[in-house]
Amino acid sequence: MWETLSLMFMRRTFLSNHRAAGLVEEDLSPFHARLAAIGDRLEPLSRESYARLEQLAEGLSVRARNGEPAESLLIETFALVREVAHRCLSLMPFDEQVLAGIALHDGKLVEMQTGEGKTLAAVLPATLLALGGKCPHILTFNDYLARRDERWMRPVFHFFGLRSGAIQQGLSLDDRRSIYRGDLVYATAKEVGYDVLRAQLVRALSEQALQPLSFAIIDEADSILIDEARVPLVIAGQRAAAASPHQLAALSRQLAPGLHWETDDQGRNVLLTEAGMDWIENTLHCGDLHADENYALLTEINLALHAHVLLKRDVDYIVREGKIELVDAFTGRVVDDRRWPDGLQAALEAKEELQIQPGGQILGSMTLQHVLGLYPRLAGMTATARPAAAELARVYGLRVVPIPPHRPCQRIDLPDLIYTTRAAKQRALIQDIAANHERDRPVLVGTASVAESEALANLLRDAGLACRVLNARNDEEEAEIISNAGIPGAITISTNMAGRGTDIRPGGADERERARVIAAGGLYVIGTGRHESRRIDDQLRGRTGRQGDPGTSRFFVSLEDELMVRYGIQELIPPKWLPVDDDPVRLPMVHREVDRLQRIVEGQNQEIRHTLWRYAALVEQQRKDIHAWRQMILSGEVELSVGQMRHPDHFEELSALAGERAVREVERVITLHHIDTCWAEHLDLVTQLREGIHLVGLGGLDPLHEFQKQIAAAYRELPTRIEDRIAHSMATLEFTEHGFDLQKACIDAPSATWTYLVNDRVLSELQQMLFGQGSSAFAAGAVLMTWPILLLWGVFRWVKRWRALPGL
């Protein structure tokens, strides 16, 4: 409890300090001055012929290629892009979109409301940068949006003589290389990250697709920079599958909750009890589970228990066509190529009685946060930046610039309706949906999981209300379902933020129905519960009320919702203050507690992200160093001499047979191979340490400090180990009539490689380190320093609540 309160206090202090420092730039006057100059240039351009505009575009291109600074070309370029977009796309960028483009060029994080045209706003700075040869990357949320936006905006780029392309999953090396060598690139951040990882495993420069990075414009920036940024990207190589964990999956089903295992207060971790340990030891006849020889067995048992207790089917994952598919917590979509770490993935497959898929050795890994850190300059766009302004400034150095909407927002955000039980909430939901349906008002209901969306759909159908369901099971129908979500009387049930990047138009595609929906009040958006982040709630609200259209949003909350139960909100509210029927809770204190709980969860998640970054920072610096060395070897900038120095006679013998140049080329391949294998072993050590380092907290040590100390010591040994292996391979190298026998020297590339994302929600050890008995010395010290203030603060809060009680 004290750790939670301490983190909440520190987070509030942090946010207030940064707000005072002015992380949000409310004053737009510097941007308006340039906007006025662009407007002055635009008016005469509207009277020019198409041929004359082409001449002006060519002139700007020549000036940019000759090195004229982008800032001096901004006014002319932006004005010309506006006119070209009007003629090529029938879209004239609004002043607000131009303001956003100016802020993006300045490296800001632009907050634009949903539906305000961020895609077109990004074209302005992207064109200017591309003319100067910077090859900007526009990073979108998924492959579909990258492909759609590039095709949509391509006529503008082509008018300026610029070649654009979209990186997609599954593209060949030649296609990727061609796109990256163009003038503009649309892609997802993870695809760029995978190309970074692939570039670090090639044996020849010609196999590298990615070109040097310069500038990234990030769409849906808060989701990519915060929600997704901590997710590790992995490239793995084939290795034999581990023993089947089906026996342990069956064993975990026999363990009794409360007797054999318990969860922590927040339900983030599951722990075996002493009785559970004894039962397993007696059942498996394995002796002491904590003995050194049982370390691997205990790890597998814990993984099986984690899969059985904490991972929920149709919430965290679905099973489709005999395979586990993970569901993203923020979007409700199936996430391509994402999996849990190998042991947990196998445990989950065993839980669902599926065939265990082969594991793999990690050959390279880095978080999206560090991928984005490779860009010298960043800018971004999102509808929900201000709640995350402090974190965006601290991690990325990005300042938020809010852009006013083109038309005033008419959306009405109604206060939450809070019910005592989930059943009461569901009955109220059905009644509210039915009432709006009868008025021909379209309703979009955002749910937290696949299971909840399907359960609600069944209740609606039982009530005689037809609805469409969009979740991870039918995500291929997303575009069609979303396109019809605005027609009169439509009821659409979706998981979280389905339809991202797609407008829900009042009336749908039929403009004749638009007036009918507007008269009914516009799209009505309902959330079936609060999310862990206010930003996700705001994104759901933003599905309605676009471009000045009317709309309404409301959240229905139950004190039995998973988030409320996890943090024990009912324990703070005496039962006599709660209604016993289906009436909503009207106590202001309860509403404040729901808001406070969400802030606490946000604070915890922010601290977890910061801790993960601190754990990954040292490994990321090591990766940069070793791969900078590898790149120099790959390009021939480093002269190799291990074979000649350690085995001069054998080196001379090989040189006489094949030529010295050929021997040095083979040594280059051998060196690259051993750098890769030793780095993969180092990453394996990192993974093992991360899994168990929290235990040192029981001895009073700081887990982070111990982790960094051991990783640093292991890294210092890498050069010697690599050199010894190179020397051994060179000593055993043979030259035959078929050339050098690299296979005999065990210099083989992986027979197969694949990429995937590790699900970052499996963080129980780190969370226990932050909030449980393994807390770091820093957290413990913070509690000691802040407890008197927290005590006074708690008393003050209680007095305010007491005065707010009915009849007082």
Side-chain angles (χ1 to χ4, degrees):
M1 181 185 75
W2 286 113
E3 286 89 350
T4 300
L5 292 173
S6 159
L7 286 171
M8 183 176 65
F9 175 82
M10 288 186 288
R11 179 177 182 273
R12 288 187 172 183
T13 303
F14 177 81
L15 285 176
S16 63
N17 288 343
H18 279 272
R19 286 196 185 102
L23 294 179
V24 179
E25 297 185 17
E26 303 282 0
D27 181 13
L28 301 183
S29 54
F31 304 108
H32 277 290
R34 282 182 280 179
L35 173 63
I38 293 167
D40 292 341
R41 291 269 186 172
L42 178 63
E43 197 277 329
L45 288 176
S46 63
R47 299 190 297 269
E48 298 287 359
S49 67
Y50 195 87
R52 176 57 180 158
L53 294 182
E54 287 182 321
Q55 291 176 358
L56 293 173
E58 177 60 25
L60 287 171
S61 179
V62 170
R63 289 164 61 188
R65 288 197 301 268
N66 288 338
E68 187 169 341
E71 188 62 39
S72 68
L73 297 172
L74 187 146
I75 304 298
E76 297 172 72
T77 303
F78 275 35
L80 187 54
V81 170
R82 290 185 81 176
E83 182 61 28
V84 170
H86 180 54
R87 299 197 189 189
C88 293
L89 306 175
S90 298
L91 295 172
M92 172 62 77
F94 303 133
D95 285 353
E96 291 78 14
Q97 291 171 304
V98 179
L99 284 173
I102 296 169
L104 290 171
H105 173 76
D106 290 353
K108 308 295 184 183
L109 188 66
V110 171
E111 183 178 79
M112 295 179 73
Q113 296 306 310
T114 305
E116 288 292 307
K118 293 187 284 290
T119 302
L120 186 56
V123 172
L124 296 156
T127 302
L128 177 59
L129 290 162
L131 288 174
K134 300 297 185 183
C135 191
H137 290 183
I138 297 93
L139 303 181
T140 64
F141 193 76
N142 56 44
D143 276 358
Y144 162 72
L145 292 176
R147 183 173 64 253
R148 185 203 69 177
D149 292 354
E150 189 275 329
R151 288 177 180 172
W152 188 10
M153 299 296 124
R154 187 186 299 168
V156 176
F157 301 136
H158 282 199
F159 186 93
F160 284 85
L162 302 171
R163 185 164 61 90
S164 61
I167 296 293
Q168 301 281 284
Q169 183 180 7
L171 283 181
S172 68
L173 172 63
D174 289 341
D175 288 340
R176 287 176 179 270
R177 186 189 298 113
S178 175
I179 292 171
Y180 280 126
R181 291 182 179 177
D183 299 302
L184 299 105
V185 175
Y186 282 80
T188 62
K190 71 175 184 179
E191 282 302 314
V192 174
Y194 288 144
D195 284 326
V196 171
L197 292 174
R198 293 185 188 105
Q200 295 168 356
L201 292 174
V202 301
R203 300 287 172 86
L205 284 174
S206 60
E207 298 173 11
Q208 290 184 333
L210 196 62
Q211 300 298 298
L213 305 176
S214 63
F215 192 97
I217 299 172
I218 306 168
D219 196 6
E220 303 290 355
D222 61 327
S223 293
I224 294 175
L225 293 172
I226 294 179
D227 301 330
E228 297 285 333
R230 63 186 182 180
V231 180
L233 285 74
V234 172
I235 185 167
Q238 191 77 34
R239 72 179 177 192
S244 172
H246 284 99
Q247 178 188 6
L248 297 182
L251 181 144
S252 67
R253 297 187 193 104
Q254 301 175 52
L255 297 173
L259 174 63
H260 296 135
W261 55 263
E262 296 175 343
T263 59
D264 60 11
D265 291 341
Q266 285 79 42
R268 297 177 184 266
N269 198 15
V270 58
L271 302 169
L272 285 168
T273 63
E274 288 295 330
M277 290 279 191
D278 293 340
W279 187 87
I280 291 172
E281 289 170 355
N282 292 331
T283 302
L284 297 180
H285 306 291
C286 60
D288 184 4
L289 275 174
H290 287 102
D292 291 344
E293 62 271 18
N294 285 329
Y295 174 79
L297 175 62
L298 180 59
T299 299
E300 291 175 9
I301 290 170
N302 280 319
L303 290 170
L305 189 60
H306 194 125
H308 175 65
V309 176
L310 299 184
L311 299 182
K312 307 296 184 185
R313 184 168 178 166
D314 294 339
V315 176
D316 301 297
Y317 65 95
I318 63 172
V319 178
R320 185 159 54 183
E321 298 179 358
K323 291 185 179 180
I324 299 288
E325 295 186 351
L326 274 66
V327 176
D328 186 272
F330 296 103
T331 66
R333 288 189 178 97
V334 164
V335 186
D336 294 331
D337 291 335
R338 183 177 294 190
R339 58 186 289 152
W340 278 285
D342 281 336
L344 187 57
Q345 183 80 13
L348 191 60
E349 290 164 344
K351 169 188 173 180
E352 297 294 340
E353 299 182 351
L354 303 174
Q355 181 178 353
I356 306 300
Q357 300 299 312
Q361 181 184 29
I362 294 177
L363 304 177
S365 176
M366 64 191 304
T367 64
L368 276 172
Q369 187 178 85
H370 289 119
V371 171
L372 296 168
L374 298 176
Y375 288 92
R377 293 181 63 202
L378 288 176
M381 311 175 289
T382 183
T384 48
R386 274 180 281 196
E391 189 169 359
L392 291 164
R394 172 165 59 91
V395 177
Y396 299 100
L398 288 170
R399 297 165 68 88
V400 174
V401 175
I403 303 296
H406 180 59
R407 296 187 180 95
C409 180
Q410 298 186 50
R411 187 184 70 237
I412 300 172
D413 296 323
L414 298 173
D416 294 356
L417 289 177
I418 302 176
Y419 295 87
T420 305
T421 65
R422 184 180 291 111
K425 181 183 81 170
Q426 289 175 339
R427 286 190 286 270
L429 266 170
I430 300 300
Q431 292 174 6
D432 197 26
I433 293 170
N436 281 277
H437 173 72
E438 289 178 3
R439 296 167 47 204
D440 280 340
R441 190 177 193 184
V443 180
L444 175 68
V445 185
T447 61
S449 66
V450 173
E452 184 183 8
S453 68
E454 294 178 344
L456 180 58
N458 289 333
L459 290 174
L460 287 169
R461 289 164 184 151
D462 291 343
L465 297 170
C467 63
R468 298 289 303 274
V469 179
L470 174 56
N471 60 33
R473 295 191 196 281
N474 62 341
D475 49 359
E476 68 278 358
E477 301 174 34
E478 178 173 340
E480 188 267 332
I481 293 175
I482 288 297
S483 66
N484 291 313
I487 65 177
I491 302 174
T492 307
I493 314 295
S494 75
T495 46
N496 280 353
M497 288 304 297
R500 185 187 294 269
T502 305
D503 284 343
I504 299 177
R505 299 174 56 129
D510 190 347
E511 282 294 326
R512 293 171 296 181
E513 298 286 3
R514 175 179 171 81
R516 186 174 162 195
V517 171
I518 295 298
L523 179 67
Y524 181 31
V525 168
I526 295 175
T528 61
R530 290 285 194 99
H531 297 95
E532 290 193 357
S533 169
R534 287 171 296 169
R535 291 182 297 103
I536 307 301
D537 291 347
D538 291 342
Q539 288 167 8
L540 180 57
R541 289 188 180 101
R543 303 302 292 165
T544 185
R546 299 181 174 204
Q547 285 289 326
D549 288 337
T552 306
S553 72
R554 167 163 261 167
F555 281 79
F556 286 69
V557 179
S558 159
L559 298 183
E560 293 179 348
D561 288 349
E562 190 273 335
L563 187 65
M564 305 297 153
V565 172
R566 188 198 309 168
Y567 287 87
I569 193 170
Q570 280 192 322
E571 298 174 8
L572 303 174
I573 307 167
K576 64 181 180 180
W577 295 349
L578 299 174
V580 294
D581 52 17
D582 283 0
D583 289 341
V585 179
R586 304 191 186 281
L587 283 174
M589 183 192 75
V590 177
H591 286 262
R592 288 196 297 268
E593 284 300 323
V594 171
D595 291 336
R596 186 179 69 88
L597 182 150
Q598 193 174 44
R599 290 196 298 271
I600 290 173
V601 178
E602 285 181 327
Q604 289 184 355
N605 288 336
Q606 181 178 339
E607 191 64 24
I608 289 170
R609 287 193 295 268
H610 181 55
T611 300
L612 288 173
W613 178 81
R614 294 165 72 200
Y615 271 81
L618 178 60
V619 180
E620 173 60 15
Q621 186 57 54
Q622 293 174 348
R623 185 199 65 79
K624 286 181 179 179
D625 292 343
I626 198 163
H627 286 293
W629 177 41
R630 188 188 192 280
Q631 189 70 14
M632 288 191 293
I633 293 171
L634 189 65
S635 61
E637 298 176 45
V638 176
E639 184 176 345
L640 304 175
S641 58
V642 173
Q644 187 174 17
M645 291 178 61
R646 299 277 287 267
H647 305 286
D649 293 339
H650 188 55
F651 183 87
E652 293 299 329
E653 179 184 342
L654 292 173
S655 297
L657 293 171
E660 183 177 338
R661 183 176 180 179
V663 177
R664 293 197 181 276
E665 175 60 23
V666 169
E667 184 173 355
R668 185 184 65 83
V669 173
I670 288 172
T671 302
L672 293 172
H673 170 81
H674 288 305
I675 289 174
D676 295 342
T677 55
C678 288
W679 177 247
E681 291 167 4
H682 184 70
L683 289 177
D684 189 51
L685 173 64
V686 168
T687 301
Q688 293 181 38
L689 282 174
R690 282 279 294 273
E691 289 175 352
I693 198 66
H694 64 286
L695 296 175
V696 305
L698 299 174
L701 299 176
D702 178 7
L704 176 62
H705 175 73
E706 291 300 311
F707 173 82
Q708 291 177 335
K709 185 172 71 173
Q710 294 187 44
I711 290 302
Y715 185 73
R716 285 194 294 269
E717 297 174 0
L718 265 184
T720 301
R721 188 158 75 249
I722 291 170
E723 183 175 318
D724 288 344
R725 293 190 183 183
I726 295 169
H728 176 74
S729 294
M730 290 297 292
T732 58
L733 185 64
E734 294 182 3
F735 185 78
T736 69
E737 60 183 25
H738 302 293
F740 288 104
D741 190 352
L742 292 177
Q743 189 171 8
K744 186 174 182 180
C746 300
I747 309 301
D748 283 333
S751 58
T753 62
W754 67 93
T755 56
Y756 60 89
L757 290 133
V758 175
N759 187 294
D760 68 318
R761 284 187 288 152
V762 185
L763 300 170
S764 56
E765 290 83 7
L766 286 174
Q767 289 163 340
Q768 182 177 354
M769 200 164 45
L770 283 165
F771 304 115
Q773 57 187 347
S775 298
S776 67
F778 168 76
V783 171
L784 292 174
M785 288 187 292
T786 60
W787 77 263
I789 302 172
L790 289 168
L791 181 59
L792 292 173
W793 173 77
V795 171
F796 174 71
R797 290 275 298 176
W798 173 249
V799 169
K800 285 185 67 177
R801 289 183 204 155
W802 179 76
R803 288 179 175 174
L805 297 182
L808 294 180

